[in-house]
Amino acid sequence: MSANFSHRYEGDGRVTIQPLAIVGLEYTPDAGPVRFAGGATVRSHTVIYGDVELGDAFQAGHSALIREHTTVGTHVMVGSHVVIDGNVHIGDFVKIQTGCYIPTHTTLGSRVFLGPHAVLTNDRFPLRQRDRYAPEGPTIEDGVTLGAGCIVLPGVTVGANSFVAAGAVVTRDVPANSLVVGTPGKVSPLPEHLRDPNRALNWPSDEPESGD
């Protein structure tokens, strides 16, 4: 696609789209535009399909992909080489680091952090049992941290304010305020030193803490 691609988007805020990015990819003849709720920055080589809704202060790194029917809240950062495969809901104040994969039918709450190359999945038996196939991504509740390289299996709910360690494999639901370590993930109560709410230094100072 050339640098002169005609972007398809709506919004009143200041939207910066770097060269070689694509905003509003027409994936079907009747695809709608991207809708920005405020200011945004989309960096080069990122592709955002039509029928995506993006909240204020949205940031995308380089070579990210966001597919159709994804809704994103305010102050969300999508890092370079992230894939969001569509039909995904993302809350407010979320950071998704480099190389993460988020499949269809996934929900991320607010104040969530995904470390580099975290992988969420939505199919328990890939290319098997197709007569019973129904994609079901994970639900990541408010205030959760997923460490680098962790894997969350289909249909799993990670409860609010939990912390999943780097490289852990989450195979079953996790209660709120838990720590998950290992493969398969072992669940234990969240230690006191990890009970601070998720808060990035560049988020507004009046942003509500988890649980408010």
Side-chain angles (χ1 to χ4, degrees), residues 112-189:
V112 166
F113 175 85
L114 274 66
H117 299 282
V119 173
L120 313 184
T121 61
N122 69 353
D123 187 356
R124 288 190 176 275
F125 307 102
L127 294 184
R128 306 294 175 92
Q129 301 186 11
R130 294 299 90 181
D131 56 331
R132 287 181 282 175
Y133 172 64
E136 183 184 12
T139 297
I140 310 300
E141 294 186 346
D142 292 351
V144 167
T145 289
L146 301 181
C150 73
I151 299 172
V152 184
L153 294 192
V156 167
T157 295
V158 179
N161 306 311
S162 291
F163 192 106
V164 177
V169 178
V170 185
T171 61
R172 57 191 175 93
D173 289 350
V174 175
N177 300 298
S178 295
L179 173 66
V180 184
V181 178
T183 305
K186 180 179 179 181
V187 179
S188 60

Side-chain angles (χ1 to χ4, degrees), residues 63-115:
S63 301
L65 172 65
I66 303 175
R67 292 196 55 176
E68 68 273 12
H69 304 301
T70 294
T71 61
V72 176
T74 64
H75 290 274
V76 171
M77 190 280 293
V78 174
S80 298
H81 301 283
V82 167
V83 175
I84 300 173
D85 240 347
N87 291 284
V88 169
H89 176 78
I90 299 172
D92 301 324
F93 299 97
V94 173
K95 284 185 172 287
I96 304 170
Q97 297 289 319
T98 299
C100 292
Y101 177 69
I102 302 172
T104 64
H105 303 87
T106 294
T107 298
L108 304 183
S110 296
R111 300 172 300 280
V112 166
F113 175 85
L114 274 66

Side-chain angles (χ1 to χ4, degrees), residues 111 143 161 194-200 203 208-210:
R111 300 172 300 280
N161 306 311
L194 293 178
R195 289 182 177 265
D196 291 345
N198 286 349
R199 184 186 297 279
W203 290 348
E209 295 184 358
S210 180

